Amino acid sequence: MPDCLSLKVVSFPRVVKVADVISILRSNNHNGFPVIDHTRSGETLVIGLVLRSHLLVVLQSKVDFQHSPLPCDPMVGPKHRHNFSEFAKPVSSKGLSINDIHLSSDDMEMYIDLAPFLNPSPYVVPEDMSLTKVYNLFRQLGLRHIFVVPRAPRVIGLITRKDLLIEDGEDSSTMELQSTSVRVWHHDKKGLTGNTDAERPLLNGLLAPNHTLS
């Protein structure tokens, strides 16, 4: 999909200045934004997706503003400053808009660490996927945005439909799948099905930690 790749992607750094967030939200109507971070070696990483509606909630509350342009320490300070209901758009309204946000000049000089508010595993497609398949993903999953990424250079695992089949009545297993990522799933042998090693997904020993989108 060369046409979409030629467009400039609007993104946020992990720690962003409040004034920059306001400027970007005022200059476009995008519903979601990639969040960018860097490794110690300087490699650029996409670490997730942050929604416009969530940014507006954070801006209005101001409780997550910080003076430092450095990432916050997750071990310091309150872990839950927001209620989940704050991020749910009211049924009877369109939710917050950028015009509802009123900040002082001092507020505009503050920073926000976006890490606690992003979706670390958004839907992605390779750059050479057909538009028909992309269209079907939007229709079937009800998506509003999909990241386009370069063709992955290697396969780190394989999951078959059989691996995700759960026997009737296993509610605890269902909850476990909902809260478990693919990378850590292979540590739990009960999560894998199949009678032979050939039927098992290539998760054991292959899903090593990495920093690419998954």
Side-chain angles (χ1 to χ4, degrees):
M1 291 179 286
D3 289 341
C4 74
L5 291 180
S6 65
L7 299 175
K8 182 178 180 181
V9 178
V10 180
S11 62
F12 287 108
R14 172 180 169 172
V15 183
V16 60
K17 196 171 185 178
V18 170
D20 293 336
V21 178
I22 294 294
S23 176
I24 289 177
L25 294 184
R26 288 190 182 280
S27 61
N28 67 78
N29 295 318
H30 296 341
N31 176 257
F33 304 86
V35 179
I36 308 299
D37 202 359
H38 296 84
T39 64
R40 293 181 179 178
S41 61
E43 180 185 2
T44 299
L45 302 172
V46 179
I47 60 173
L49 166 76
V50 65
L51 296 180
R52 181 187 192 91
S53 59
H54 291 182
L55 289 171
L56 292 173
V57 170
V58 173
L59 289 171
Q60 186 183 58
S61 70
K62 304 181 185 181
V63 297
D64 296 282
F65 289 6
Q66 61 185 49
H67 292 282
S68 172
L70 301 176
C72 62
D73 186 346
M75 303 303 294
V76 177
K79 295 183 179 180
H80 302 288
R81 292 174 172 172
H82 296 276
N83 205 310
F84 283 119
S85 60
E86 294 181 65
F87 294 99
K89 184 173 67 175
V91 177
S92 59
S93 74
K94 295 182 179 180
L96 288 173
S97 77
I98 189 63
N99 295 324
D100 298 322
I101 307 302
H102 304 285
L103 302 173
S104 68
S105 57
D106 289 338
D107 292 332
M108 300 289 274
E109 296 300 314
M110 302 287 276
Y111 294 85
I112 305 171
D113 186 345
L114 299 178
F117 311 105
L118 57 80
N119 171 8
S121 52
Y123 286 96
V124 301
V125 297
E127 58 186 326
D128 54 357
M129 177 178 280
S130 71
L131 286 177
T132 299
K133 290 184 178 180
V134 174
Y135 173 76
N136 287 335
L137 283 175
F138 273 98
R139 286 198 61 187
Q140 294 169 8
L141 300 177
L143 303 179
R144 296 194 65 175
H145 25 59
I146 294 179
F147 286 179
V148 180
V149 299
R151 168 64 65 179
R154 63 192 179 96
V155 176
I156 63 172
L158 174 67
I159 299 175
T160 67
R161 182 176 64 175
K162 183 177 180 180
D163 294 319
L164 298 178
L165 293 179
I166 300 174
E167 295 182 9
D168 293 339
E170 292 188 0
D171 294 336
S172 60
S173 296
T174 302
M175 292 300 295
E176 183 178 358
L177 283 180
Q178 291 176 346
S179 60
T180 304
S181 70
V182 172
R183 288 179 187 158
V184 301
W185 184 37
H186 71 286
H187 290 297
D188 184 359
K189 304 298 183 181
K190 295 180 180 179
L192 302 177
T193 61
N195 297 325
T196 66
D197 289 339
E199 293 175 330
R200 292 179 180 272
L202 301 179
L203 293 177
N204 292 329
L206 288 180
L207 289 180
N210 60 67
H211 298 285
T212 59
L213 279 175
S214 57

